[in-house]
């Protein structure tokens, strides 16, 4: 296998068994009622006796907890394998977090095995020992030395030493016990620390509503100066895996139902347009029904916090991200403040149920957009560009937000007038002016005006004339017009869009005046068609301009009246001359502010309502064209995009909440958060070959769509866990995720955040395929997709840093031991992005380093967030220990092996205890896998694949 395989990611595995049974949850370490302080202990063995006298054992220890009530074993931890050593000292320790359901009476069983060969799935049992947690806490120096009983219960197979890990204690141990590669010397076994300020996640009250089911591991590694560091890993599931998609589904249903209602409210349309409308409404009804069924199926699921990879193609779970987990590594080092490093792992956001035969979203959308013009001709509808469609959605979204806001501000203005409060009046007027001006600015777009004309032309009584006619031609003209709605594109030559068919030079000019319709040349038209079909009032192209201008005029009247009232209040002895403002103000009672303002603000509200009604119908008509031109491909693509976005947003929300909780006391981080926003760096390990090519195309669009998401921090109604769940609101073109915080925590935030400022996130995606399929893609396929993604997102990351450096002092950013300048890192990343280097993992390493330097959110993904993801995260964690915490070079490989040493469920099933029988029934599936076996299997698969490919190519050219 290629060297790049070692850069795969940290396994956040399928733990389906854990969520399915109480025993599984117990094994995973569910947080229950606190009973003990956190207990961590290390393990070592002495004088182990191997089954063969001519060899030293490859020892490992399995740790199980004996349930005192049910009297059965529950697997809790497992050490790494120490090869060829009869006195092994294990770097992987055992931890019982403070919330773990343990007590002093809890019994712990240690079973020692001899793994004869790492590639084999069998081992031999050497011996076991049992102790209680209370025994360890009461022992002298909190250290126990226990004899290992063999399977017959008579022979002694050696001893096991259990030592509690505590801050500040020192112990002398031969390093030769750990590995034979290091010269024998004395060194401290437990780290010493003068700082202990880092808050444990399990002790953080904020994590309750979002993170659950922690799985903890503890290690001790040697530093370059022969000291020891303590490393804790904690993996947790995230409740947002289900809650965010469920909220999104409800919003999708609500938006589509609203769209159907808007289509109904378009009024009477000619037969052609009415048929298109009915077909579009039928399609929407199908999507709504499908989403309702999916939501109902998801509501039936209780207790599960993530979707395992075995369910990735299950239709009822297609909106749920795969294996979404959080990983925190906390490091306690000698003479240094504690540090922690967070990462979120998740399967690539993609529509696995729909499959990838036609490619992913990027390819499908590009192909669809290229073909949409031909669709518009076939369905005889108007083609609007993606920019026009996006603008129509934006106008609808802004109107839905601003209209109720303007109404509330008007009410506040009247309330301030009723209370005779000048400050309240000024504040309400300022906000009302800002929002109304924003409202008017949005509606001045030419698209709204042209869409109103198009809608008018689509009504039953509209008759278009494409050439001059005379009274003598009227009979013939009436006949041709009668077939126009059925056989031709009804709208041609309208401004603001591109018609699908040729446009004639002469079109009807409609003026809002009484009289006879005229052509563009001013000559009268004789329309015999009007004898049987009543003709609508001719369209006045200037009417729309007058409508939105009236809103501005009404606002000016309100401003003038408020100025007058405040002037009267300031100079009560000098009455204002009656001739001032006489054209816009009718005074009733000079002393009653509300009475004088009421007619003006009522007129403003009426004008806003009138404008909203017309603009809403116009933009709905634009979206009708989009939907009509896209039957049925567009609806299928919208569903696919909804699915991918749902998975991506759940992951982003999880990362944002995790990063927010971690940075709550960091003023520099909070300043960066509201002034600029956060970068969210997604690391992808997908290949650009076969179905993973389509997954990457889906993922690219899904991550890009996250730019439409804003975050808002709110004050929770109470401290109940249900009131601390993040909430999603908005519609497809813009979503806002509200993150509630407890009252005491919320009030410590900067004023800008407390006032509800929307917080931005800048998503960037970097992909480097590293498996055997990527080797095939680089030799025989196409990697242009990967190159384009990396180049585009490098530019986004570079632009973010430029904006950050202009608005936030670099002192606000975190400090690291390796003081490489961020500019130098960006230059290095840019060089690697354009370099033609196979499996260039430097891109991922450098992008990840930049993300951490910028206070960003780190994500790692592969197909299922297991094998490749596990290798990547463990390698990144060891690199951080080496670069930031002086991990000894001699311990780097050992540390990496420890973090990757957990076995899968199938592997654990082979470890049998002769005393207890099949104890492994209650053992959970692990989050790690056996890397050496994977390397061997993958290498063989690669060779077979290359041979088959070569045979295929030879047969093709012969």
């Amino acid at each position: 296998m290629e060297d790049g395989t070692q850069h795969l990611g940290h396994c956040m595995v399928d733990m389906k068994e854990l969520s399915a049974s109480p025993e599984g949850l117990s094994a995973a370490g569910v947080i229950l009622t606190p009973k003990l302080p956190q207990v961590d202990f290390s393990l070592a063995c002495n004088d182990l006796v191997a089954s063969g006298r001519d060899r030293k054992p490859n020892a490992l220890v399995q740790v199980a907890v004996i349930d005192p009530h049910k009297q059965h074993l529950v697997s809790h931890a497992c050490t790494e394998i120490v090869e060829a050593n009869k006195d092994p000292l294990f770097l992987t320790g055992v931890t019982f977090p403070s919330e773990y359901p343990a007590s002093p009476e809890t019994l712990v069983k240690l079973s020692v095995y001899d793994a004869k060969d790492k590639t084999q799935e069998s081992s031999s049992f050497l011996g076991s020992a049992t102790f209680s947690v209370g025994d360890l806490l009461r022992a002298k120096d909190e250290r126990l030395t226990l004899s290992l009983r063999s399977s017959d219960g008579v022979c002694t197979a050696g001893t096991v030493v259990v030592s509690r890990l505590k801050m500040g204690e020192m112990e002398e141990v031969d390093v030769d016990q750990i590995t034979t590669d290091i010269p024998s010397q004395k060194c401290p076994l437990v780290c010493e620390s003068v700082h202990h300020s880092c808050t444990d996640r399990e002790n953080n009250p904020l994590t309750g509503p979002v993170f659950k089911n922690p799985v903890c591991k503890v290690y001790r590694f040697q530093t370059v100066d022969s000291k020891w560091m303590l490393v804790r890993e904690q993996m947790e599931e995230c409740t947002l895996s289900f809650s965010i998609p469920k909220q999104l589904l409800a919003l999708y249903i609500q938006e589509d139902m609203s769209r159907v209602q808007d289509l109904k409210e378009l009024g009477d349309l000619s037969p052609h347009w009415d048929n298109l409308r009915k077909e579009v409404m039928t399609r929407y009804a199908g999507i709504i029904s499908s989403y309702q069924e999916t939501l109902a199926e998801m509501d039936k699921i209780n207790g599960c916090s993530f979707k395992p990879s075995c369910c990735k193609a299950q239709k009822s779970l297609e909106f749920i991200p795969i294996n979404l987990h959080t990983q925190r590594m906390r490091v306690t080092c000698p003479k240094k403040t504690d540090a922690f490093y967070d990462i979120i792992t998740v399967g690539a956001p993609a529509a696995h149920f729909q499959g990838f035969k036609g490619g992913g979203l990027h390819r499908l959308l590009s192909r669809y957009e290229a073909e949409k013009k031909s669709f518009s001709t076939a369905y005889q509808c108007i083609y609007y560009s993606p920019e026009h469609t996006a603008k129509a959605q934006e106008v609808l979204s802004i109107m839905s937000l601003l209209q109720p806001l303007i109404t509330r501000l008007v009410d506040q203005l009247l309330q301030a007038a009723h209370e005779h409060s000048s400050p309240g009046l000024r504040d309400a007027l300022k906000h009302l002016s800002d929002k109304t001006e924003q409202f008017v600015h949005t509606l001045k777009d030419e698209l709204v005006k042209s869409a109103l004309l198009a809608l008018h032309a689509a009504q039953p009584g509209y008759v278009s004339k494409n050439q001059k006619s005379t009274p003598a031609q009227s009979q013939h003209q009436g006949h041709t017009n009668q077939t126009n709605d059925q056989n031709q594109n009804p709208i041609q030559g309208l401004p603001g869009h591109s018609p699908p068919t040729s446009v004639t030079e002469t079109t009807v000019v409609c003026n809002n005046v009484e009289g006879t319709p005229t052509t563009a040349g001013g000559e009268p038209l004789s329309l015999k068609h009007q004898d049987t079909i009543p003709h609508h009032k001719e369209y006045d192209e200037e009417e729309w301009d007058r409508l939105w201008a009236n809103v501005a005029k009404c606002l000016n009247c309100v401003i003038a009246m408020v100025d007058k009232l405040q002037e009267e209040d300031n100079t009560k002895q000098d009455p204002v001359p009656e001739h001032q403002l006489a054209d816009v103000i009718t005074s009733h009672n000079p002393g009653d502010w509300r009475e004088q303002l009421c007619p003006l603000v009522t007129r403003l509200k009426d004008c806003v309502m009138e404008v909203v009604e017309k603009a809403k119908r116009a933009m709905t008509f634009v979206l009708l064209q989009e939907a009509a031109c896209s039957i049925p491909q567009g609806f299928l693509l919208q569903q696919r995009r909804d699915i991918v976005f749902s998975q991506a947003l759940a992951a982003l929300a999880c990362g944002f909440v995790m990063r927010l909780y971690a940075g709550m006391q960091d003023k520099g981080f909070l300043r960066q958060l509201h002034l600029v926003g956060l970068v969210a760096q997604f690391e992808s390990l997908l290949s650009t070959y076969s179905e993973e090519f389509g997954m990457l195309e889906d993922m690219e669009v899904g991550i890009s769509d996250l730019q439409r998401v804003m975050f808002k921090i709110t004050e929770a109604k109470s401290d109940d866990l249900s009131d601390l769940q993040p909430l999603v609101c908005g519609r497809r073109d813009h979503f806002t995720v509200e993150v509630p915080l407890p009252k005491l925590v919320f009030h410590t935030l900067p004023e800008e955040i407390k006032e509800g400022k929307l917080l931005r996130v800048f998503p960037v995606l970097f992909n480097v395929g590293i498996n055997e399929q990527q080797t095939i893609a680089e030799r025989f396929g196409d990697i242009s997709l990967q190159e384009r993604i990396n180049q585009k997102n490098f530019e986004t990351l570079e632009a973010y840093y430029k904006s950050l450096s202009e608005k936030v002092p670099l002192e606000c950013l975190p400090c690291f031991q390796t003081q490489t300048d961020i500019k130098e890192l960006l230059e290095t990343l840019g060089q690697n992005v354009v370099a033609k280097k196979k499996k260039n993992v430097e891109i991922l390493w450098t992008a990840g380093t930049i993300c951490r330097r910028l206070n960003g959110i780190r994500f790692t993904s592969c197909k299922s967030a297991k094998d490749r993801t596990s290798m990547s995260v463990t390698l990144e964690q060891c690199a951080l220990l080496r670069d930031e915490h002086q991990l000894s070079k001699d311990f780097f490989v050992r540390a990496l092996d420890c973090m990757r040493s957990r076995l899968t469920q199938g592997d654990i099933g082979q470890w049998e205890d002769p005393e207890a029988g099949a104890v492994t029934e209650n053992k959970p599936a692990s989050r790690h896998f056996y890397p050496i076996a994977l390397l061997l299997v993958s290498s063989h698969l690669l060779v077979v694949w290359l041979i088959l490919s070569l045979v295929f190519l030879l047969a093709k050219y012969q």
Side-chain angles (χ1 to χ4, degrees):
M1 180 173 258
E2 297 288 329
D3 293 338
T5 306
Q6 64 180 333
H7 305 290
L8 309 171
H10 194 45
C11 178
M12 300 300 175
V13 270
D14 296 328
M15 291 186 290
K16 186 176 182 182
E17 293 83 0
L18 301 185
S19 300
S21 65
E23 291 80 9
L25 291 175
S26 178
V30 168
I31 295 177
L32 298 178
T33 306
K35 296 181 180 180
L36 284 175
Q38 180 162 303
V39 178
D40 303 323
F41 58 87
S42 63
L43 297 171
C45 293
N46 294 318
D47 300 321
L48 292 180
V49 179
S51 55
R53 296 182 179 180
D54 57 340
R55 58 180 293 275
K56 295 180 180 180
N58 299 326
L60 86 159
V61 181
Q62 268 213 326
V63 182
V65 178
I66 302 177
D67 190 316
H69 303 291
K70 299 182 180 179
Q71 292 298 318
H72 69 256
L73 294 178
V74 177
S75 179
H76 182 75
C78 183
T79 68
E80 79 279 10
I81 297 175
V82 178
E83 297 184 18
N85 198 325
K86 67 176 183 177
D87 299 318
L89 189 150
F90 299 97
L91 301 183
T92 304
V94 181
T95 180
F96 289 100
S98 57
E99 288 83 0
Y100 186 83
S103 66
E105 291 74 29
T106 299
L107 295 178
V108 180
K109 181 174 183 179
L110 307 176
S111 300
V112 183
Y113 296 90
D114 177 14
K116 297 179 181 179
D117 190 338
K118 279 190 175 183
T119 61
Q120 295 180 359
E121 294 183 353
S122 61
S123 65
S124 60
F125 174 76
L126 297 182
S128 65
T130 303
F131 68 96
S132 71
V133 175
D135 292 338
L136 177 62
L137 298 178
R138 288 188 297 267
K140 184 181 179 180
D141 299 328
E142 295 185 317
R143 176 172 178 162
L144 296 173
T145 300
L146 308 171
S147 296
L148 293 171
R149 291 183 302 122
S150 60
S151 57
D152 56 15
V154 177
C155 301
T156 300
T159 59
V160 58
V161 180
V162 183
S163 303
R164 188 179 179 195
L165 299 176
K166 295 201 307 183
M167 297 298 114
E169 295 191 357
M170 306 293 292
E171 183 177 325
E172 301 292 336
V173 172
D174 287 333
V175 179
D176 188 49
Q177 287 182 299
I178 302 176
T179 173
T180 56
D181 297 332
I182 302 177
S184 176
Q185 56 175 308
K186 299 288 185 179
C187 67
L189 194 129
V190 184
C191 67
E192 55 178 344
S193 176
V194 295
H195 297 288
H196 193 57
S197 59
C198 182
T199 304
D200 282 324
R201 176 108 60 86
E202 58 267 24
N203 295 326
N204 188 342
L206 291 178
T207 62
V210 176
F211 306 110
K212 62 187 295 187
N213 293 347
V215 177
C216 307
K217 288 199 68 177
V218 61
Y219 313 95
R220 49 185 176 169
F221 302 134
Q222 191 180 31
T223 61
V224 293
D225 56 354
S226 297
K227 302 291 183 181
W228 287 75
M229 70 175 77
L230 189 66
V231 179
R232 302 179 193 273
E233 281 185 302
Q234 181 161 316
M235 179 190 72
E236 289 178 300
E237 302 166 18
C238 183
T239 60
L240 303 184
S241 287
F242 278 79
S243 69
I244 293 294
K246 287 167 71 173
Q247 293 181 66
L248 276 178
L249 272 169
L251 291 173
Y252 291 153
I253 293 170
Q254 179 182 340
E255 181 179 346
D256 289 344
M257 292 178 71
S258 176
R259 186 66 52 79
V260 170
Q261 185 61 33
D262 291 342
L263 289 171
K264 292 179 181 178
E265 293 175 356
L266 280 178
D268 294 335
L269 298 177
S270 63
H272 169 77
W273 295 113
D274 193 48
N275 290 335
L276 285 179
R277 172 169 59 179
K278 290 177 181 177
E279 190 170 357
V280 168
M281 290 170 63
T282 301
R283 293 284 180 177
Y284 274 124
I287 293 179
I288 292 170
S289 176
S290 173
Y291 285 4
Q292 287 174 335
E293 290 177 6
T294 301
L295 187 57
E297 289 296 320
M298 290 169 58
D299 286 336
K300 296 177 183 178
I301 301 173
N302 295 316
C304 188
S305 299
F306 75 102
K307 179 176 77 173
S309 63
C310 60
C311 300
K312 63 175 172 282
Q314 187 172 329
K315 186 179 189 309
S316 61
L317 298 178
E318 59 185 346
F319 287 85
I320 310 298
I322 302 168
N323 271 335
L324 176 59
H325 288 82
T326 66
Q327 172 89 5
R328 170 166 290 180
M329 180 180 72
R330 177 187 162 190
V331 187
T332 304
C333 287
K335 311 298 183 184
K336 185 180 177 182
T337 305
D338 290 5
F340 62 86
Y341 305 92
D342 291 340
I343 192 166
I344 295 90
T345 59
V346 63
H352 295 275
F353 174 77
Q354 295 187 11
F356 308 96
K357 290 184 179 180
L361 271 172
H362 176 77
R363 194 185 331 173
L364 292 171
L365 288 171
S366 300
R367 184 187 308 154
Y368 160 71
E369 196 57 47
E371 296 173 350
K372 198 163 66 171
K373 284 191 177 183
S374 62
F375 293 158
S376 64
T377 302
Y379 284 94
Q380 297 186 15
C381 54
I382 305 169
Y383 171 77
Y384 285 95
S385 67
E387 292 76 18
H388 284 147
T389 302
K391 182 64 179 179
Q393 293 173 335
E394 179 187 351
V395 170
L396 286 173
S397 179
I398 292 176
M399 285 193 303
S400 66
L401 292 173
L402 291 183
Q403 182 198 350
L405 184 57
I406 290 173
T407 301
R408 287 197 299 270
L409 291 172
V410 163
D411 294 338
Q412 291 178 16
L413 187 71
L414 291 177
Q415 181 63 28
H418 178 70
E419 296 172 355
H420 217 81
S421 170
S422 292
L425 207 61
R426 287 195 300 270
D427 291 343
L429 180 64
K430 181 180 182 301
H431 290 103
L432 178 63
S433 299
D434 292 343
K435 298 305 176 184
T436 307
E437 288 173 6
Q438 183 183 350
F439 178 80
V440 172
H441 179 74
T442 301
L443 298 176
K444 288 170 64 176
D445 194 275
E446 185 66 26
L447 176 65
V448 182
K449 187 175 181 179
S450 65
L452 284 171
L453 174 57
L455 176 59
H456 180 81
Q459 294 172 348
Y462 181 82
V463 179
S464 63
K465 190 71 175 177
N466 296 325
Q467 59 183 4
K468 294 182 181 180
S469 62
T470 62
Q473 297 171 320
S474 60
Q475 183 174 358
H476 172 72
Q477 187 63 42
H479 173 74
T480 57
N481 283 333
Q482 287 177 341
T483 60
N484 185 60
D485 285 345
Q486 305 293 333
N487 302 323
Q488 297 182 12
N489 188 352
I491 308 299
Q492 295 184 359
L494 296 177
H497 61 81
S498 303
T501 56
S502 60
V503 182
T504 54
E505 293 295 328
T506 307
T507 58
V508 173
V509 178
C510 303
N511 300 302
N512 191 20
V513 294
E514 296 182 0
T516 306
T518 61
T519 64
E523 298 184 12
L525 290 175
S526 175
L527 303 177
K528 186 176 181 180
H529 191 59
Q530 286 183 318
D531 295 339
T532 56
I533 300 179
H535 186 55
H536 277 263
K537 184 179 180 180
E538 296 171 357
Y539 183 74
D540 182 2
E541 295 185 16
E542 304 301 324
E543 180 186 1
W544 175 246
D545 294 333
R546 289 195 296 270
L547 283 176
W548 63 256
N550 283 341
V551 176
K553 290 178 181 178
C554 290
L555 176 64
N556 290 335
C557 291
V558 173
I559 294 173
M561 174 58 77
V562 171
D563 291 341
K564 174 180 178 293
L565 295 175
Q566 289 181 330
E567 185 179 350
E568 288 177 349
D569 191 52
N570 293 332
T571 58
K572 294 181 179 179
Q573 303 302 324
D574 300 325
V576 180
E578 293 183 0
H579 67 275
Q580 293 183 4
L581 305 174
D583 55 336
V584 296
I585 300 174
T586 302
S587 297
H588 298 284
N589 182 356
D592 190 343
W593 287 7
R594 180 184 176 89
E595 185 178 348
Q596 295 183 67
L597 273 176
C598 195
L600 300 178
V601 296
T602 300
R603 175 58 182 159
L604 174 62
K605 289 168 65 175
D606 292 342
C607 287
V608 169
M609 284 294 296
E610 186 178 5
V611 167
V612 166
E613 182 183 352
K614 282 189 173 293
K616 186 177 180 180
R617 295 178 68 216
M619 296 300 93
T620 300
F621 189 73
V622 172
L623 297 181
L624 171 62
Q625 314 308 311
E626 166 74 11
C629 293
S630 63
I631 296 173
Q633 293 89 341
F635 284 90
L636 295 176
L637 286 179
Q638 184 61 66
Q639 285 183 280
R640 189 182 191 101
R641 199 165 188 171
D642 288 345
I643 291 166
V644 176
F645 177 77
S646 174
Q647 298 177 27
L649 181 58
L652 179 64
C654 170
F656 181 88
V657 172
M658 188 180 187
R659 187 66 191 87
L660 176 65
Y661 289 172
M664 202 66 70
Q665 305 300 323
D666 187 344
K667 294 183 178 179
F669 165 76
L670 294 175
R671 184 178 180 184
Q672 173 188 353
L673 180 61
H674 74 80
L675 286 178
V676 186
L678 298 181
V679 63
Q681 185 245 334
F682 288 80
E683 170 187 296
S684 170
L685 303 162
L686 294 172
S687 67
T688 54
Y689 184 82
S690 188
E691 68 173 11
E692 288 197 10
F693 193 98
M695 290 180 202
L696 183 56
E697 290 183 313
D698 273 359
M699 186 175 184
E700 179 194 7
V701 175
I703 301 304
S704 177
D705 284 347
L706 293 177
Q707 299 175 45
R708 307 182 315 221
V709 178
M710 304 288 278
F711 287 84
K712 181 180 179 181
I713 300 176
T714 61
E715 181 179 350
K717 297 177 181 178
S718 71
D719 291 347
D720 293 339
L721 296 185
S722 59
D723 289 330
L724 295 175
Q725 278 283 348
L727 302 174
V728 185
C729 59
R731 48 197 298 158
R732 284 183 178 91
D733 60 314
H734 178 80
F735 285 105
T736 300
V737 180
E738 297 183 0
V739 182
L741 295 179
K743 181 178 180 180
L744 293 179
V745 178
F746 179 78
H747 286 289
T748 64
L749 298 174
E751 288 300 322
E752 294 85 351
I753 296 179
K754 289 193 292 185
E755 290 173 358
K757 182 175 181 179
L758 295 179
L759 311 174
R760 292 195 63 187
V761 172
F762 297 82
V764 292
L765 169 65
F766 292 93
N767 184 85
V768 176
I770 55 177
N771 63 358
E772 62 276 6
Q773 288 189 333
Q774 186 63 23
T775 303
I776 299 172
E778 290 176 343
R779 293 181 181 178
F780 309 111
D782 179 15
I783 61 171
S784 59
L785 172 65
Q786 175 176 286
E787 293 173 342
R788 180 181 56 77
I789 288 175
N790 291 340
Q791 179 61 43
K792 176 183 176 182
N793 286 275
F794 165 71
E795 294 169 0
T796 302
L797 185 60
E798 195 174 36
Y800 171 82
Y801 174 71
K802 181 179 179 181
S803 175
L804 179 68
S805 59
E806 292 173 353
K807 297 180 181 180
V808 177
L810 296 183
E811 292 76 15
C812 293
L813 300 178
C815 297
F816 288 85
Q817 292 294 317
T818 50
Q819 294 297 328
T820 308
D821 187 71
I822 299 181
K823 288 185 178 179
E824 294 180 20
L825 290 172
L826 281 168
E827 291 177 3
T828 303
L829 179 60
Q831 292 168 2
N832 279 289
V833 163
V834 299
K836 300 294 182 181
K837 181 180 178 182
K838 295 180 179 179
K839 298 185 178 180
N840 190 1
V841 294
E842 290 292 334
I843 293 175
L844 302 181
W845 283 20
T846 309
T849 302
I850 294 172
C851 176
R852 292 199 186 278
R853 295 290 183 88
L854 296 178
N855 265 327
I857 312 170
R858 282 276 293 112
F859 299 84
T860 295
S861 297
C862 63
K863 181 178 180 179
S864 300
K866 292 192 301 182
D867 299 347
R868 282 170 279 179
T869 301
S870 70
M871 300 294 271
S872 176
V873 175
T874 49
L875 185 63
E876 180 178 354
Q877 288 183 164
C878 288
L880 287 168
L881 294 176
R882 177 195 62 200
D883 299 337
E884 301 298 326
H885 302 281
Q886 299 182 324
L887 174 67
S888 171
K889 294 181 180 178
D890 297 319
F891 270 73
F892 185 90
V893 176
R894 282 294 309 278
L896 198 59
D897 286 343
C898 283
M899 292 181 175
R900 296 175 176 176
S901 64
R902 295 289 298 275
L903 306 180
T904 63
Q905 178 70 19
D907 295 323
I908 292 177
Q910 301 298 321
W911 302 95
E912 296 182 357
D913 188 339
E915 296 181 292
V919 206
T920 57
E921 292 178 2
N922 295 317
K923 296 179 181 178
S926 168
R927 59 197 171 112
H928 296 283
F929 66 103
Y930 216 51
I932 295 180
L934 176 72
L935 290 173
L936 293 173
V937 172
S938 299
S939 300
H940 294 158
L941 289 175
L942 175 60
V943 172
V944 172
W945 189 276
L946 291 176
I947 292 174
L948 291 175
S949 300
L950 183 60
V951 171
F952 174 78
L953 290 174
L954 291 174
K956 180 179 179 180
Y957 286 107
Q958 287 178 354

